[in-house]
mmCIF file of all heavy atoms in Angstrom:
data_model
loop_
_atom_site.group_PDB
_atom_site.id
_atom_site.type_symbol
_atom_site.label_atom_id
_atom_site.label_comp_id
_atom_site.label_asym_id
_atom_site.label_seq_id
_atom_site.Cartn_x
_atom_site.Cartn_y
_atom_site.Cartn_z
ATOM 1 N N THR A 338 15.093 -9.672 -1.755
ATOM 2 C CA THR A 338 14.207 -8.413 -2.138
ATOM 3 C C THR A 338 14.457 -7.481 -1.155
ATOM 4 O O THR A 338 14.596 -7.520 0.058
ATOM 5 C CB THR A 338 12.785 -8.943 -2.037
ATOM 6 O OG1 THR A 338 12.513 -10.064 -3.009
ATOM 7 C CG2 THR A 338 11.816 -7.742 -2.445
ATOM 8 N N ILE A 339 14.874 -6.213 -1.720
ATOM 9 C CA ILE A 339 14.999 -4.947 -0.961
ATOM 10 C C ILE A 339 14.026 -3.952 -1.668
ATOM 11 O O ILE A 339 13.439 -4.247 -2.581
ATOM 12 C CB ILE A 339 16.456 -4.585 -0.988
ATOM 13 C CG1 ILE A 339 17.041 -4.570 -2.400
ATOM 14 C CG2 ILE A 339 17.307 -5.451 -0.185
ATOM 15 C CD1 ILE A 339 16.772 -3.381 -3.255
ATOM 16 N N MET A 340 14.031 -2.795 -1.000
ATOM 17 C CA MET A 340 13.259 -1.689 -1.638
ATOM 18 C C MET A 340 14.198 -0.824 -2.486
ATOM 19 O O MET A 340 15.280 -0.317 -1.899
ATOM 20 C CB MET A 340 12.486 -0.798 -0.600
ATOM 21 C CG MET A 340 11.499 -1.633 0.265
ATOM 22 S SD MET A 340 10.142 -2.324 -0.809
ATOM 23 C CE MET A 340 8.797 -1.298 -0.494
ATOM 24 N N LEU A 341 13.812 -0.525 -3.541
ATOM 25 C CA LEU A 341 14.713 0.282 -4.516
ATOM 26 C C LEU A 341 13.794 1.434 -4.962
ATOM 27 O O LEU A 341 12.825 1.229 -5.680
ATOM 28 C CB LEU A 341 15.125 -0.568 -5.611
ATOM 29 C CG LEU A 341 16.132 0.204 -6.752
ATOM 30 C CD1 LEU A 341 17.456 0.448 -6.035
ATOM 31 C CD2 LEU A 341 16.307 -0.793 -7.956
ATOM 32 N N ASP A 342 14.058 2.640 -4.513
ATOM 33 C CA ASP A 342 13.248 3.797 -4.801
ATOM 34 C C ASP A 342 11.724 3.449 -4.443
ATOM 35 O O ASP A 342 10.744 3.799 -5.238
ATOM 36 C CB ASP A 342 13.380 4.274 -6.323
ATOM 37 C CG ASP A 342 14.546 4.959 -6.478
ATOM 38 O OD1 ASP A 342 15.224 5.555 -5.644
ATOM 39 O OD2 ASP A 342 15.115 4.966 -7.661
ATOM 40 N N GLY A 343 11.595 2.797 -3.275
ATOM 41 C CA GLY A 343 10.280 2.652 -2.764
ATOM 42 C C GLY A 343 9.500 1.359 -3.327
ATOM 43 O O GLY A 343 8.271 1.140 -3.013
ATOM 44 N N ARG A 344 10.095 0.634 -4.252
ATOM 45 C CA ARG A 344 9.412 -0.636 -4.744
ATOM 46 C C ARG A 344 10.233 -1.794 -4.539
ATOM 47 O O ARG A 344 11.560 -1.775 -4.555
ATOM 48 C CB ARG A 344 9.153 -0.367 -6.280
ATOM 49 C CG ARG A 344 8.372 0.830 -6.468
ATOM 50 C CD ARG A 344 7.820 0.866 -8.036
ATOM 51 N NE ARG A 344 6.942 -0.273 -8.023
ATOM 52 C CZ ARG A 344 6.269 -0.555 -9.202
ATOM 53 N NH1 ARG A 344 6.539 0.185 -10.339
ATOM 54 N NH2 ARG A 344 5.520 -1.541 -9.213
ATOM 55 N N PRO A 345 9.597 -2.920 -4.232
ATOM 56 C CA PRO A 345 10.494 -4.185 -4.081
ATOM 57 C C PRO A 345 11.236 -4.449 -5.371
ATOM 58 O O PRO A 345 10.769 -4.389 -6.481
ATOM 59 C CB PRO A 345 9.362 -5.365 -3.929
ATOM 60 C CG PRO A 345 8.138 -4.574 -3.633
ATOM 61 C CD PRO A 345 8.246 -3.261 -4.318
ATOM 62 N N ALA A 346 12.599 -4.844 -5.106
ATOM 63 C CA ALA A 346 13.422 -5.285 -6.208
ATOM 64 C C ALA A 346 14.336 -6.417 -5.783
ATOM 65 O O ALA A 346 14.711 -6.554 -4.557
ATOM 66 C CB ALA A 346 14.298 -4.004 -6.688
ATOM 67 N N ARG A 347 14.708 -7.371 -6.701
ATOM 68 C CA ARG A 347 15.548 -8.408 -6.406
ATOM 69 C C ARG A 347 16.990 -7.865 -6.634
ATOM 70 O O ARG A 347 17.460 -7.653 -7.609
ATOM 71 C CB ARG A 347 15.283 -9.561 -7.434
ATOM 72 C CG ARG A 347 13.951 -10.021 -7.343
ATOM 73 C CD ARG A 347 13.627 -11.133 -8.223
ATOM 74 N NE ARG A 347 12.238 -11.505 -8.316
ATOM 75 C CZ ARG A 347 11.557 -12.037 -7.398
ATOM 76 N NH1 ARG A 347 12.118 -12.374 -6.210
ATOM 77 N NH2 ARG A 347 10.196 -12.310 -7.473
ATOM 78 N N SER A 348 17.586 -7.898 -5.430
ATOM 79 C CA SER A 348 19.037 -7.332 -5.494
ATOM 80 C C SER A 348 20.048 -8.217 -6.103
ATOM 81 O O SER A 348 21.154 -7.709 -6.351
ATOM 82 C CB SER A 348 19.409 -6.898 -3.998
ATOM 83 O OG SER A 348 19.384 -8.013 -3.219
ATOM 84 N N CYS A 349 19.706 -9.408 -6.218
ATOM 85 C CA CYS A 349 20.670 -10.419 -6.855
ATOM 86 C C CYS A 349 20.776 -10.221 -8.400
ATOM 87 O O CYS A 349 21.805 -10.443 -9.013
ATOM 88 C CB CYS A 349 20.261 -11.856 -6.651
ATOM 89 S SG CYS A 349 18.880 -12.450 -7.381
ATOM 90 N N ILE A 350 19.725 -9.624 -8.976
ATOM 91 C CA ILE A 350 19.739 -9.363 -10.491
ATOM 92 C C ILE A 350 19.661 -7.977 -10.727
ATOM 93 O O ILE A 350 19.442 -7.544 -11.891
ATOM 94 C CB ILE A 350 18.647 -10.234 -11.175
ATOM 95 C CG1 ILE A 350 17.261 -9.867 -10.612
ATOM 96 C CG2 ILE A 350 18.876 -11.711 -11.185
ATOM 97 C CD1 ILE A 350 16.174 -10.411 -11.500
ATOM 98 N N THR A 351 19.906 -7.165 -9.667
ATOM 99 C CA THR A 351 20.076 -5.700 -9.934
ATOM 100 C C THR A 351 21.650 -5.411 -9.804
ATOM 101 O O THR A 351 22.179 -5.784 -8.804
ATOM 102 C CB THR A 351 19.358 -4.902 -8.865
ATOM 103 O OG1 THR A 351 17.983 -5.300 -9.002
ATOM 104 C CG2 THR A 351 19.526 -3.315 -9.057
ATOM 105 N N LEU A 352 22.298 -4.680 -10.739
ATOM 106 C CA LEU A 352 23.720 -4.336 -10.590
ATOM 107 C C LEU A 352 23.773 -3.184 -9.697
ATOM 108 O O LEU A 352 23.024 -2.279 -9.728
ATOM 109 C CB LEU A 352 24.304 -4.094 -11.914
ATOM 110 C CG LEU A 352 24.421 -5.391 -12.969
ATOM 111 C CD1 LEU A 352 24.883 -4.811 -14.323
ATOM 112 C CD2 LEU A 352 25.200 -6.376 -12.402
#
Side-chain angles (χ1 to χ4, degrees):
T338 305
I339 47 86
M340 297 302 256
L341 184 67
D342 285 337
R344 304 197 61 182
R347 299 179 190 293
S348 58
C349 72
I350 54 169
T351 303
L352 294 173

